Amino acid sequence: MTDTLLDIRDLRIALPAGADRPYAVDGVSLTLRRDEILCIVGESGSGKSLLANAVMGLLPGAVRIAGGSLHFDGTDLARLDPEAYRKLRGRRIAMIFQEPMTALNPIMTVGEQIDELLVAHGMTDKASRRRRVIDLLAATELPEPELLYHAYPFRLSGGQRQRVMIAAALALEPDILIADEPTTALDVTTQKQILTLIRDLQARRRIAVLFITHDFGVVAEIAHRVAVMQWGKVVEEGAAADVLVRPHHPYTQRLVAAVHGLSARPELAAHAAEPLLEVVGLSKTFRTSQGLFVRRRREVHALRQVSLTIHRGETVGLVGESGSGKTTLGHAIVRLVDTDAGEIRFRGADILAQGGARLRATRARIQMVFQDPFASLNPRHSVGRILTETPRIHGVGKAEAETRARRLLELVGLDASAFGRYPHEFSGGQRQRIGIARALALEPELIVADEPVSALDVSVQGQVLDLLADIRKRLGLAMLFITHDLRVAAQVCDTIAVMRRGELVEIGPAAEVFGKPRHDYTRRLLASVPGAGWTDRPGTRLTAG
Amino acid sequence: MKQLEFIAGRLVKAVIVLLGIVILAFLLIRATPGDPAAVLAGEAGAVDAEFMQRVRAEFGLDRPMAEQLAIYVKQIATLQFGESYRQQRPVLDLITERLPATLLLTLSAFGIALLVGVSLGVTAARHVGRWPDMAITVAALVFFAVPLFWIGLMAILLFSVKLPWLPAFGMETVGADYDGIDALLDTIRHLILPATTLGLFYIAIYVRMTRASVIEVMDLDFVRTARAKGIPEGRIWRRHILRNALLPIVTLASIQAGNLVGGAVLTETVFAWPGIGRLAFDALLQRDYNLLLAVFIVTSALVILFNLIADLVYALVDPRIEVGA
C-alpha cells in the first residue's frame, strides 16, 4: 500500500466557451497522503472548488476535464464507469460543503439521510444501520442522537447541520474527506468547534483531508500542508509551518498579510469628546403570533436595554455572532425597524420622536452601507443615477448632484467613466465602493456599515477597509461598524461593543477589549478566532506590510 | 388537538367568506338587466304589466332590495335554498342530481392533467434544452393558448364526426338502457372527450410548473450532497428531486381542484354534459335567481373545502409546515 492516496498530475479543467478564461484549473499537480490535512487556499475564482469536484467526479455539466490525470489509490478516476464512481463516492471519498443550511434535504429526517448512504453502499441489516447512524451522530458530538434521528434539518442550527454532514461523510470510514469551506458560513465559536472536530476525527481515524478555504487563519488551525491557488494554478506549496511564517510567492504574502492580528491599531482612538449619537436603553422584541382561539407567542429579544454612545469622528465596532441583535441595532439607528422602548438621540434630538420632514433631514445625516454589494444596488439603475437620486430627492440641483457624484467616484477610487455604467459591470469590491459613495452622497455625519466587507475576498477586504479608514479621516465621519469578524474590527475600530443575544455585554476602547477582555463571552470569541495563536504570538510570523 | 383547532378556525373563516360571497352574488345578479318575471312572461307570450306584477309578488321580487337580501341570508342560514322559479323544484335537489356528473368530469380531467402534466414536466426537465424539452414545452404552450371550447369542437369534429370513435355529447347513450359493466363502459366512452379537452388546458399549466420546479431543485445543494454520498441516480430523482419539486405542485393542484368545478361550464356546454355547469348556464339565461345563487354557494364551498384539504395535505408532505403552528 502506497502512502499517496490521491495523485493529481497536470490537471486541466476547461470552462465553457465565453468564460473569463479557458481553464478553471490549469496544470495543477498535487498529492494527498494518508493521514494528513492538505489545505488548498485561494480566493473566489481560483479554481479550488472545481478541483475538489473533479476529484469527486461531480463537475457541473458544462465543465470538463481537458487534460492531465487523477489517480486515487492506484485507480485512474478518468477511466472509471459511472456506477463504479458512484460506489467510490461516500464510501472511499466523502465530501462536505460550505453551506450547511442548504446541504441537507429539508423534507427527510436526519437519520434517513445518513441511513440512505449506508443502504446505497450495501448495508442491508436495518437494525445495525440504525445503531451505526446513532453512533455516528454521537461521535460528532450531537446531542440526543436517538431523538435527532427523527428530526428534520430545519430544527437544527448551522453548526449542528454541519456535524450531521460530517457524520454522513464519515459513515463508511472513507480514505479521503474533502471539505469545501466547511466553516465559512458558521459563527466563529461554532467554526472553532467544527475545526476541532475535523482535526480530532482525522487524527483518530487516520484519514486524509483535502480542506479548501480562503482563510489563512483557518489554515493555521488545521493544516499540515498548504497549496495556494491563484487563477487556476498552484503558486506555492509546502508545509503549513513554512508557508505561514515564510511565504515566498507575492500572492501568498498578500493573503497572509491580510490576516491581521487582534491588537488594535494605535493610531486610531483620536476622536472628539462630543457625543454624536446616544442610544439609551433601547429594546426590541420580535413577536410572531398564531392561532385563532389561543394566541401562541414566540418572542425573540433582539435588543435588551442597549445603551451606546458614538462620538464625532469615532468608529464603534459592533461585534457578535449571528442572532446577537447587532443588525437590528443598526437598522434601529437608521429607523428601518421600530423599537419598543428606549431613546436614540442624534445631536441631542430624539430621532424616534421625529417624523416627516425632520426625520428626512436626520436620515440624510445617517447613512448605511450594506453587506451584499451584489444585492444592495439596483441592477437597473446606472451608477450615476444611484449616486444622484438621493441628493436630488433632498433638493440638490441636477448639475450640482452630478458634479458631486463624480467627485465621490474619485474619492472612492473609481474612474469617472463609471458614472454611466451599471452595477453588473463591476466586481464585488468595486460595487462596495459604489455603495460607500452612495452612502456619502448626502454628506452624512454617521455611517452605519453592516458587515461591509464580509462578502468580499480577503485581498479586496483590505482595500475597502483602507478606503473606509481614509474617508473617515478626510471627512471626520463617525461610524458604527457592524461585523462578525474580530480581525476586521481590530483594523478599523476605536471602540468595541460586544453583543450577545440582544445584550451589550462589554464595551470599551479596542485595545482594552482585545487586550484585557472583561466578559467571559468576549474571551470566548477571541479564543475562537481562527489562527489566533499564530498571528498574535510574537515572533511566529513575518509581519508583511 | 392543534389540527382540530386549526380546522375549526378555518371553518369559521369559511362561513364568513361564504356570507360575503352570498351577498356579493346576490347583488351582482340583481344588477343584471332582466328578471325571472320578464323571462317567464316572454316565454308565456303575455308581456302585460299585470302578469309580471303577479309573478314578482309571488317570488317576493317587489320588495326593497335590502329586505330581499335579508330574507335570503336568513333562509341560507337555515340551509333553505328555496325553489327554482323555472323548474318549480327545490334547488338543492337539482344541484345534488347534477353534482355527481360534474365531479366525475372534473376529477377525471384533473387526474389526467396532473398525471400527464407532471410526467411530461419531469421529462422536459430531465432533457432540458434538448428536443424532448422543446417538443413538450411548445405543445404545452399551444394547448394553453388555444381556447378550450375550440379544442372541444375540433375534438368532436375529429373523433365523433370524421372518425366515429367516440360519442359527441351527453353522458350516456340515449335509449340504450345499459346495465352494470356496459353502463360503466358507456359512461367512460362519453367521458373521454370532455375530460381530455378540459384536462388539456390544465396539463399545460402542470407541465410548465413541474418543469420549472424540477429544474430549480435539480441544482440545489442537497442534491449535490446526495451525489457526493454515492446515492444511485434513481433514488436521487425519486427521494430528493421529485419529492421536493412536487411541493409547489401540491399547492397549485389543490387550489385548482376547487376552480375546476367552475371551469367546467364551457366544457359541459360544448359536450352537453348534464352537470352543474350546464345548470348554472341555463339558470343564468333564465334569471333563475335561487338556482344560480345556490350553484354559486355550492361551488364556492367546494373551493374553500379543497383549499382546506390543500393546507392539510401540505402539512403532511412538508415537515417544515405545522398545521396550526
Side-chain angles (χ1 to χ4, degrees), chain B residues 107 110-111 113-115 118 202 205-206 209-210 246-260 303 306-307 309-310 313-314:
Chain B
L107 290 180
F110 186 59
L114 207 54
L115 211 69
V118 168
Y202 292 99
I205 297 175
Y206 287 113
M209 272 286 281
T210 308
L246 293 183
L247 291 178
I249 310 294
V250 172
T251 317
L252 182 74
S254 22
I255 290 169
Q256 281 195 340
N259 294 348
L260 271 173
V303 173
F306 277 115
N307 276 326
I309 294 174
V313 169
Y314 209 75

PDB file of all heavy atoms in Angstrom, chain B residues 107 110-111 113-115 118 202 205-206 209-210 246-260 303 306-307 309-310 313-314:
ATOM      1  N   LEU B 107     -63.014  15.664 -11.892  1.00  0.00           N
ATOM      2  CA  LEU B 107     -61.968  14.886 -11.243  1.00  0.00           C
ATOM      3  C   LEU B 107     -61.207  14.041 -12.265  1.00  0.00           C
ATOM      4  O   LEU B 107     -59.995  13.872 -12.150  1.00  0.00           O
ATOM      5  CB  LEU B 107     -62.553  14.018 -10.127  1.00  0.00           C
ATOM      6  CG  LEU B 107     -63.027  14.830  -8.913  1.00  0.00           C
ATOM      7  CD1 LEU B 107     -63.591  13.916  -7.831  1.00  0.00           C
ATOM      8  CD2 LEU B 107     -61.897  15.678  -8.340  1.00  0.00           C
ATOM      9  N   PHE B 110     -58.972  16.419 -14.006  1.00  0.00           N
ATOM     10  CA  PHE B 110     -57.938  16.799 -13.065  1.00  0.00           C
ATOM     11  C   PHE B 110     -56.882  15.701 -12.943  1.00  0.00           C
ATOM     12  O   PHE B 110     -55.675  15.955 -12.974  1.00  0.00           O
ATOM     13  CB  PHE B 110     -58.613  17.049 -11.721  1.00  0.00           C
ATOM     14  CG  PHE B 110     -57.706  17.577 -10.682  1.00  0.00           C
ATOM     15  CD1 PHE B 110     -57.041  18.772 -10.889  1.00  0.00           C
ATOM     16  CD2 PHE B 110     -57.514  16.901  -9.491  1.00  0.00           C
ATOM     17  CE1 PHE B 110     -56.203  19.283  -9.922  1.00  0.00           C
ATOM     18  CE2 PHE B 110     -56.683  17.404  -8.525  1.00  0.00           C
ATOM     19  CZ  PHE B 110     -56.029  18.584  -8.733  1.00  0.00           C
ATOM     20  N   GLY B 111     -57.369  14.468 -12.835  1.00  0.00           N
ATOM     21  CA  GLY B 111     -56.456  13.322 -12.750  1.00  0.00           C
ATOM     22  C   GLY B 111     -55.567  13.235 -13.981  1.00  0.00           C
ATOM     23  O   GLY B 111     -54.346  13.082 -13.879  1.00  0.00           O
ATOM     24  N   ALA B 113     -54.859  15.656 -16.063  1.00  0.00           N
ATOM     25  CA  ALA B 113     -53.960  16.813 -16.115  1.00  0.00           C
ATOM     26  C   ALA B 113     -52.759  16.610 -15.206  1.00  0.00           C
ATOM     27  O   ALA B 113     -51.616  16.839 -15.586  1.00  0.00           O
ATOM     28  CB  ALA B 113     -54.713  18.072 -15.725  1.00  0.00           C
ATOM     29  N   LEU B 114     -53.035  16.154 -13.998  1.00  0.00           N
ATOM     30  CA  LEU B 114     -51.980  16.006 -13.007  1.00  0.00           C
ATOM     31  C   LEU B 114     -50.982  14.939 -13.448  1.00  0.00           C
ATOM     32  O   LEU B 114     -49.761  15.150 -13.463  1.00  0.00           O
ATOM     33  CB  LEU B 114     -52.617  15.618 -11.669  1.00  0.00           C
ATOM     34  CG  LEU B 114     -51.864  16.003 -10.423  1.00  0.00           C
ATOM     35  CD1 LEU B 114     -51.565  17.488 -10.419  1.00  0.00           C
ATOM     36  CD2 LEU B 114     -52.695  15.650  -9.200  1.00  0.00           C
ATOM     37  N   LEU B 115     -51.514  13.790 -13.833  1.00  0.00           N
ATOM     38  CA  LEU B 115     -50.667  12.646 -14.187  1.00  0.00           C
ATOM     39  C   LEU B 115     -49.823  12.962 -15.421  1.00  0.00           C
ATOM     40  O   LEU B 115     -48.595  12.858 -15.408  1.00  0.00           O
ATOM     41  CB  LEU B 115     -51.567  11.445 -14.463  1.00  0.00           C
ATOM     42  CG  LEU B 115     -50.973  10.088 -14.128  1.00  0.00           C
ATOM     43  CD1 LEU B 115     -50.848   9.946 -12.620  1.00  0.00           C
ATOM     44  CD2 LEU B 115     -51.856   8.976 -14.703  1.00  0.00           C
ATOM     45  N   VAL B 118     -47.536  16.348 -14.947  1.00  0.00           N
ATOM     46  CA  VAL B 118     -46.339  16.183 -14.125  1.00  0.00           C
ATOM     47  C   VAL B 118     -45.318  15.276 -14.832  1.00  0.00           C
ATOM     48  O   VAL B 118     -44.129  15.587 -14.869  1.00  0.00           O
ATOM     49  CB  VAL B 118     -46.709  15.634 -12.730  1.00  0.00           C
ATOM     50  CG1 VAL B 118     -45.475  15.190 -11.976  1.00  0.00           C
ATOM     51  CG2 VAL B 118     -47.441  16.706 -11.934  1.00  0.00           C
ATOM     52  N   TYR B 202     -55.207  22.283 -18.444  1.00  0.00           N
ATOM     53  CA  TYR B 202     -54.507  22.205 -17.172  1.00  0.00           C
ATOM     54  C   TYR B 202     -53.192  21.445 -17.295  1.00  0.00           C
ATOM     55  O   TYR B 202     -52.233  21.723 -16.587  1.00  0.00           O
ATOM     56  CB  TYR B 202     -55.408  21.590 -16.110  1.00  0.00           C
ATOM     57  CG  TYR B 202     -56.548  22.513 -15.765  1.00  0.00           C
ATOM     58  CD1 TYR B 202     -57.804  22.331 -16.313  1.00  0.00           C
ATOM     59  CD2 TYR B 202     -56.341  23.598 -14.929  1.00  0.00           C
ATOM     60  CE1 TYR B 202     -58.835  23.204 -16.021  1.00  0.00           C
ATOM     61  CE2 TYR B 202     -57.361  24.472 -14.627  1.00  0.00           C
ATOM     62  CZ  TYR B 202     -58.615  24.272 -15.179  1.00  0.00           C
ATOM     63  OH  TYR B 202     -59.625  25.144 -14.891  1.00  0.00           O
ATOM     64  N   ILE B 205     -50.485  23.824 -17.791  1.00  0.00           N
ATOM     65  CA  ILE B 205     -50.024  24.516 -16.585  1.00  0.00           C
ATOM     66  C   ILE B 205     -49.092  23.620 -15.777  1.00  0.00           C
ATOM     67  O   ILE B 205     -48.034  24.044 -15.317  1.00  0.00           O
ATOM     68  CB  ILE B 205     -51.225  24.938 -15.726  1.00  0.00           C
ATOM     69  CG1 ILE B 205     -52.081  25.932 -16.501  1.00  0.00           C
ATOM     70  CG2 ILE B 205     -50.760  25.549 -14.417  1.00  0.00           C
ATOM     71  CD1 ILE B 205     -53.347  26.323 -15.788  1.00  0.00           C
ATOM     72  N   TYR B 206     -49.491  22.342 -15.627  1.00  0.00           N
ATOM     73  CA  TYR B 206     -48.668  21.441 -14.816  1.00  0.00           C
ATOM     74  C   TYR B 206     -47.325  21.159 -15.462  1.00  0.00           C
ATOM     75  O   TYR B 206     -46.313  21.022 -14.783  1.00  0.00           O
ATOM     76  CB  TYR B 206     -49.419  20.142 -14.518  1.00  0.00           C
ATOM     77  CG  TYR B 206     -50.511  20.377 -13.517  1.00  0.00           C
ATOM     78  CD1 TYR B 206     -51.843  20.261 -13.856  1.00  0.00           C
ATOM     79  CD2 TYR B 206     -50.185  20.781 -12.231  1.00  0.00           C
ATOM     80  CE1 TYR B 206     -52.836  20.526 -12.947  1.00  0.00           C
ATOM     81  CE2 TYR B 206     -51.169  21.054 -11.313  1.00  0.00           C
ATOM     82  CZ  TYR B 206     -52.497  20.928 -11.666  1.00  0.00           C
ATOM     83  OH  TYR B 206     -53.458  21.204 -10.758  1.00  0.00           O
ATOM     84  N   MET B 209     -45.187  24.294 -14.726  1.00  0.00           N
ATOM     85  CA  MET B 209     -44.846  24.389 -13.297  1.00  0.00           C
ATOM     86  C   MET B 209     -43.840  23.310 -12.900  1.00  0.00           C
ATOM     87  O   MET B 209     -42.853  23.573 -12.222  1.00  0.00           O
ATOM     88  CB  MET B 209     -46.103  24.200 -12.450  1.00  0.00           C
ATOM     89  CG  MET B 209     -46.880  25.437 -12.159  1.00  0.00           C
ATOM     90  SD  MET B 209     -46.072  26.476 -10.937  1.00  0.00           S
ATOM     91  CE  MET B 209     -46.494  25.626  -9.412  1.00  0.00           C
ATOM     92  N   THR B 210     -44.148  22.063 -13.308  1.00  0.00           N
ATOM     93  CA  THR B 210     -43.292  20.955 -12.909  1.00  0.00           C
ATOM     94  C   THR B 210     -41.898  21.126 -13.491  1.00  0.00           C
ATOM     95  O   THR B 210     -40.898  20.946 -12.798  1.00  0.00           O
ATOM     96  CB  THR B 210     -43.889  19.614 -13.402  1.00  0.00           C
ATOM     97  OG1 THR B 210     -45.238  19.546 -12.978  1.00  0.00           O
ATOM     98  CG2 THR B 210     -43.127  18.445 -12.837  1.00  0.00           C
ATOM     99  N   LEU B 246     -42.191  18.565  -6.178  1.00  0.00           N
ATOM    100  CA  LEU B 246     -43.637  18.449  -6.288  1.00  0.00           C
ATOM    101  C   LEU B 246     -44.391  19.231  -5.211  1.00  0.00           C
ATOM    102  O   LEU B 246     -45.604  19.379  -5.286  1.00  0.00           O
ATOM    103  CB  LEU B 246     -44.059  16.978  -6.285  1.00  0.00           C
ATOM    104  CG  LEU B 246     -43.603  16.212  -7.530  1.00  0.00           C
ATOM    105  CD1 LEU B 246     -44.111  14.791  -7.522  1.00  0.00           C
ATOM    106  CD2 LEU B 246     -44.062  16.916  -8.807  1.00  0.00           C
ATOM    107  N   LEU B 247     -43.662  19.770  -4.220  1.00  0.00           N
ATOM    108  CA  LEU B 247     -44.349  20.527  -3.169  1.00  0.00           C
ATOM    109  C   LEU B 247     -45.180  21.689  -3.728  1.00  0.00           C
ATOM    110  O   LEU B 247     -46.357  21.808  -3.401  1.00  0.00           O
ATOM    111  CB  LEU B 247     -43.349  21.037  -2.127  1.00  0.00           C
ATOM    112  CG  LEU B 247     -42.703  19.963  -1.246  1.00  0.00           C
ATOM    113  CD1 LEU B 247     -41.703  20.596  -0.284  1.00  0.00           C
ATOM    114  CD2 LEU B 247     -43.751  19.206  -0.453  1.00  0.00           C
ATOM    115  N   PRO B 248     -44.599  22.542  -4.575  1.00  0.00           N
ATOM    116  CA  PRO B 248     -45.440  23.627  -5.113  1.00  0.00           C
ATOM    117  C   PRO B 248     -46.576  23.109  -5.997  1.00  0.00           C
ATOM    118  O   PRO B 248     -47.622  23.755  -6.091  1.00  0.00           O
ATOM    119  CB  PRO B 248     -44.468  24.480  -5.929  1.00  0.00           C
ATOM    120  CG  PRO B 248     -43.232  23.693  -6.085  1.00  0.00           C
ATOM    121  CD  PRO B 248     -43.197  22.689  -4.972  1.00  0.00           C
ATOM    122  N   ILE B 249     -46.384  21.940  -6.611  1.00  0.00           N
ATOM    123  CA  ILE B 249     -47.447  21.370  -7.443  1.00  0.00           C
ATOM    124  C   ILE B 249     -48.649  20.997  -6.573  1.00  0.00           C
ATOM    125  O   ILE B 249     -49.795  21.173  -6.984  1.00  0.00           O
ATOM    126  CB  ILE B 249     -46.941  20.118  -8.202  1.00  0.00           C
ATOM    127  CG1 ILE B 249     -45.628  20.405  -8.908  1.00  0.00           C
ATOM    128  CG2 ILE B 249     -47.990  19.607  -9.177  1.00  0.00           C
ATOM    129  CD1 ILE B 249     -45.710  21.397 -10.016  1.00  0.00           C
ATOM    130  N   VAL B 250     -48.353  20.511  -5.372  1.00  0.00           N
ATOM    131  CA  VAL B 250     -49.445  20.157  -4.464  1.00  0.00           C
ATOM    132  C   VAL B 250     -50.299  21.393  -4.177  1.00  0.00           C
ATOM    133  O   VAL B 250     -51.526  21.343  -4.227  1.00  0.00           O
ATOM    134  CB  VAL B 250     -48.883  19.576  -3.138  1.00  0.00           C
ATOM    135  CG1 VAL B 250     -49.995  19.393  -2.120  1.00  0.00           C
ATOM    136  CG2 VAL B 250     -48.198  18.251  -3.400  1.00  0.00           C
ATOM    137  N   THR B 251     -49.640  22.501  -3.905  1.00  0.00           N
ATOM    138  CA  THR B 251     -50.379  23.737  -3.642  1.00  0.00           C
ATOM    139  C   THR B 251     -51.239  24.120  -4.834  1.00  0.00           C
ATOM    140  O   THR B 251     -52.436  24.363  -4.717  1.00  0.00           O
ATOM    141  CB  THR B 251     -49.395  24.903  -3.391  1.00  0.00           C
ATOM    142  OG1 THR B 251     -48.363  24.434  -2.550  1.00  0.00           O
ATOM    143  CG2 THR B 251     -50.100  26.067  -2.769  1.00  0.00           C
ATOM    144  N   LEU B 252     -50.604  24.159  -5.985  1.00  0.00           N
ATOM    145  CA  LEU B 252     -51.314  24.565  -7.192  1.00  0.00           C
ATOM    146  C   LEU B 252     -52.490  23.635  -7.457  1.00  0.00           C
ATOM    147  O   LEU B 252     -53.603  24.078  -7.731  1.00  0.00           O
ATOM    148  CB  LEU B 252     -50.350  24.530  -8.379  1.00  0.00           C
ATOM    149  CG  LEU B 252     -50.950  24.968  -9.707  1.00  0.00           C
ATOM    150  CD1 LEU B 252     -51.130  26.468  -9.716  1.00  0.00           C
ATOM    151  CD2 LEU B 252     -50.078  24.544 -10.874  1.00  0.00           C
ATOM    152  N   ALA B 253     -52.233  22.336  -7.346  1.00  0.00           N
ATOM    153  CA  ALA B 253     -53.265  21.355  -7.663  1.00  0.00           C
ATOM    154  C   ALA B 253     -54.467  21.519  -6.755  1.00  0.00           C
ATOM    155  O   ALA B 253     -55.605  21.484  -7.207  1.00  0.00           O
ATOM    156  CB  ALA B 253     -52.697  19.944  -7.543  1.00  0.00           C
ATOM    157  N   SER B 254     -54.209  21.742  -5.466  1.00  0.00           N
ATOM    158  CA  SER B 254     -55.367  21.789  -4.583  1.00  0.00           C
ATOM    159  C   SER B 254     -56.153  23.084  -4.764  1.00  0.00           C
ATOM    160  O   SER B 254     -57.363  23.096  -4.586  1.00  0.00           O
ATOM    161  CB  SER B 254     -54.954  21.578  -3.134  1.00  0.00           C
ATOM    162  OG  SER B 254     -53.617  21.890  -2.947  1.00  0.00           O
ATOM    163  N   ILE B 255     -55.467  24.148  -5.127  1.00  0.00           N
ATOM    164  CA  ILE B 255     -56.221  25.373  -5.409  1.00  0.00           C
ATOM    165  C   ILE B 255     -57.062  25.176  -6.666  1.00  0.00           C
ATOM    166  O   ILE B 255     -58.217  25.560  -6.741  1.00  0.00           O
ATOM    167  CB  ILE B 255     -55.264  26.569  -5.575  1.00  0.00           C
ATOM    168  CG1 ILE B 255     -54.646  26.908  -4.226  1.00  0.00           C
ATOM    169  CG2 ILE B 255     -56.001  27.778  -6.135  1.00  0.00           C
ATOM    170  CD1 ILE B 255     -53.507  27.872  -4.307  1.00  0.00           C
ATOM    171  N   GLN B 256     -56.456  24.509  -7.670  1.00  0.00           N
ATOM    172  CA  GLN B 256     -57.172  24.334  -8.922  1.00  0.00           C
ATOM    173  C   GLN B 256     -58.291  23.319  -8.828  1.00  0.00           C
ATOM    174  O   GLN B 256     -59.276  23.426  -9.541  1.00  0.00           O
ATOM    175  CB  GLN B 256     -56.189  23.904 -10.000  1.00  0.00           C
ATOM    176  CG  GLN B 256     -55.413  25.091 -10.511  1.00  0.00           C
ATOM    177  CD  GLN B 256     -54.715  24.775 -11.782  1.00  0.00           C
ATOM    178  OE1 GLN B 256     -54.499  23.609 -12.087  1.00  0.00           O
ATOM    179  NE2 GLN B 256     -54.359  25.789 -12.523  1.00  0.00           N
ATOM    180  N   ALA B 257     -58.133  22.343  -7.949  1.00  0.00           N
ATOM    181  CA  ALA B 257     -59.177  21.333  -7.812  1.00  0.00           C
ATOM    182  C   ALA B 257     -60.520  22.016  -7.551  1.00  0.00           C
ATOM    183  O   ALA B 257     -61.548  21.605  -8.068  1.00  0.00           O
ATOM    184  CB  ALA B 257     -58.828  20.370  -6.692  1.00  0.00           C
ATOM    185  N   GLY B 258     -60.491  23.088  -6.752  1.00  0.00           N
ATOM    186  CA  GLY B 258     -61.714  23.820  -6.492  1.00  0.00           C
ATOM    187  C   GLY B 258     -62.201  24.566  -7.719  1.00  0.00           C
ATOM    188  O   GLY B 258     -63.376  24.522  -8.075  1.00  0.00           O
ATOM    189  N   ASN B 259     -61.272  25.218  -8.405  1.00  0.00           N
ATOM    190  CA  ASN B 259     -61.656  26.034  -9.555  1.00  0.00           C
ATOM    191  C   ASN B 259     -62.166  25.216 -10.733  1.00  0.00           C
ATOM    192  O   ASN B 259     -62.885  25.729 -11.581  1.00  0.00           O
ATOM    193  CB  ASN B 259     -60.465  26.866 -10.032  1.00  0.00           C
ATOM    194  CG  ASN B 259     -60.085  27.883  -8.983  1.00  0.00           C
ATOM    195  OD1 ASN B 259     -60.834  28.101  -8.027  1.00  0.00           O
ATOM    196  ND2 ASN B 259     -58.936  28.488  -9.145  1.00  0.00           N
ATOM    197  N   LEU B 260     -61.750  23.947 -10.801  1.00  0.00           N
ATOM    198  CA  LEU B 260     -62.157  23.107 -11.924  1.00  0.00           C
ATOM    199  C   LEU B 260     -63.667  23.064 -12.074  1.00  0.00           C
ATOM    200  O   LEU B 260     -64.193  23.058 -13.180  1.00  0.00           O
ATOM    201  CB  LEU B 260     -61.635  21.690 -11.723  1.00  0.00           C
ATOM    202  CG  LEU B 260     -60.243  21.393 -12.283  1.00  0.00           C
ATOM    203  CD1 LEU B 260     -59.806  20.014 -11.849  1.00  0.00           C
ATOM    204  CD2 LEU B 260     -60.245  21.494 -13.795  1.00  0.00           C
ATOM    205  N   VAL B 303     -64.660  25.099  -3.356  1.00  0.00           N
ATOM    206  CA  VAL B 303     -63.340  25.724  -3.455  1.00  0.00           C
ATOM    207  C   VAL B 303     -62.710  25.861  -2.080  1.00  0.00           C
ATOM    208  O   VAL B 303     -61.549  25.507  -1.859  1.00  0.00           O
ATOM    209  CB  VAL B 303     -63.446  27.112  -4.129  1.00  0.00           C
ATOM    210  CG1 VAL B 303     -62.105  27.828  -4.074  1.00  0.00           C
ATOM    211  CG2 VAL B 303     -63.897  26.965  -5.571  1.00  0.00           C
ATOM    212  N   PHE B 306     -61.657  22.489  -0.768  1.00  0.00           N
ATOM    213  CA  PHE B 306     -60.430  21.987  -1.392  1.00  0.00           C
ATOM    214  C   PHE B 306     -59.199  22.739  -0.869  1.00  0.00           C
ATOM    215  O   PHE B 306     -58.131  22.153  -0.713  1.00  0.00           O
ATOM    216  CB  PHE B 306     -60.512  22.104  -2.920  1.00  0.00           C
ATOM    217  CG  PHE B 306     -61.241  20.956  -3.560  1.00  0.00           C
ATOM    218  CD1 PHE B 306     -62.441  21.150  -4.237  1.00  0.00           C
ATOM    219  CD2 PHE B 306     -60.732  19.674  -3.480  1.00  0.00           C
ATOM    220  CE1 PHE B 306     -63.113  20.096  -4.825  1.00  0.00           C
ATOM    221  CE2 PHE B 306     -61.398  18.609  -4.062  1.00  0.00           C
ATOM    222  CZ  PHE B 306     -62.600  18.820  -4.744  1.00  0.00           C
ATOM    223  N   ASN B 307     -59.357  24.021  -0.629  1.00  0.00           N
ATOM    224  CA  ASN B 307     -58.228  24.781  -0.087  1.00  0.00           C
ATOM    225  C   ASN B 307     -57.836  24.292   1.298  1.00  0.00           C
ATOM    226  O   ASN B 307     -56.656  24.216   1.629  1.00  0.00           O
ATOM    227  CB  ASN B 307     -58.553  26.272  -0.042  1.00  0.00           C
ATOM    228  CG  ASN B 307     -58.285  26.930  -1.376  1.00  0.00           C
ATOM    229  OD1 ASN B 307     -57.364  26.540  -2.083  1.00  0.00           O
ATOM    230  ND2 ASN B 307     -59.097  27.898  -1.730  1.00  0.00           N
ATOM    231  N   ILE B 309     -58.332  21.262   2.438  1.00  0.00           N
ATOM    232  CA  ILE B 309     -57.663  19.974   2.222  1.00  0.00           C
ATOM    233  C   ILE B 309     -56.223  20.214   1.775  1.00  0.00           C
ATOM    234  O   ILE B 309     -55.288  19.562   2.234  1.00  0.00           O
ATOM    235  CB  ILE B 309     -58.431  19.134   1.177  1.00  0.00           C
ATOM    236  CG1 ILE B 309     -59.805  18.741   1.740  1.00  0.00           C
ATOM    237  CG2 ILE B 309     -57.645  17.880   0.808  1.00  0.00           C
ATOM    238  CD1 ILE B 309     -60.700  18.026   0.746  1.00  0.00           C
ATOM    239  N   ALA B 310     -56.045  21.207   0.892  1.00  0.00           N
ATOM    240  CA  ALA B 310     -54.715  21.524   0.403  1.00  0.00           C
ATOM    241  C   ALA B 310     -53.769  21.837   1.552  1.00  0.00           C
ATOM    242  O   ALA B 310     -52.650  21.330   1.607  1.00  0.00           O
ATOM    243  CB  ALA B 310     -54.777  22.712  -0.547  1.00  0.00           C
ATOM    244  N   VAL B 313     -52.961  18.646   3.438  1.00  0.00           N
ATOM    245  CA  VAL B 313     -52.068  17.788   2.658  1.00  0.00           C
ATOM    246  C   VAL B 313     -50.651  18.363   2.677  1.00  0.00           C
ATOM    247  O   VAL B 313     -49.670  17.656   2.837  1.00  0.00           O
ATOM    248  CB  VAL B 313     -52.565  17.661   1.198  1.00  0.00           C
ATOM    249  CG1 VAL B 313     -51.507  17.006   0.320  1.00  0.00           C
ATOM    250  CG2 VAL B 313     -53.847  16.855   1.145  1.00  0.00           C
ATOM    251  N   TYR B 314     -50.582  19.670   2.555  1.00  0.00           N
ATOM    252  CA  TYR B 314     -49.276  20.318   2.521  1.00  0.00           C
ATOM    253  C   TYR B 314     -48.510  20.067   3.815  1.00  0.00           C
ATOM    254  O   TYR B 314     -47.316  19.783   3.799  1.00  0.00           O
ATOM    255  CB  TYR B 314     -49.448  21.820   2.289  1.00  0.00           C
ATOM    256  CG  TYR B 314     -48.273  22.411   1.588  1.00  0.00           C
ATOM    257  CD1 TYR B 314     -48.084  22.188   0.229  1.00  0.00           C
ATOM    258  CD2 TYR B 314     -47.318  23.150   2.265  1.00  0.00           C
ATOM    259  CE1 TYR B 314     -46.990  22.695  -0.429  1.00  0.00           C
ATOM    260  CE2 TYR B 314     -46.228  23.651   1.615  1.00  0.00           C
ATOM    261  CZ  TYR B 314     -46.059  23.437   0.272  1.00  0.00           C
ATOM    262  OH  TYR B 314     -44.963  23.929  -0.373  1.00  0.00           O
TER     263      TYR B 314
END
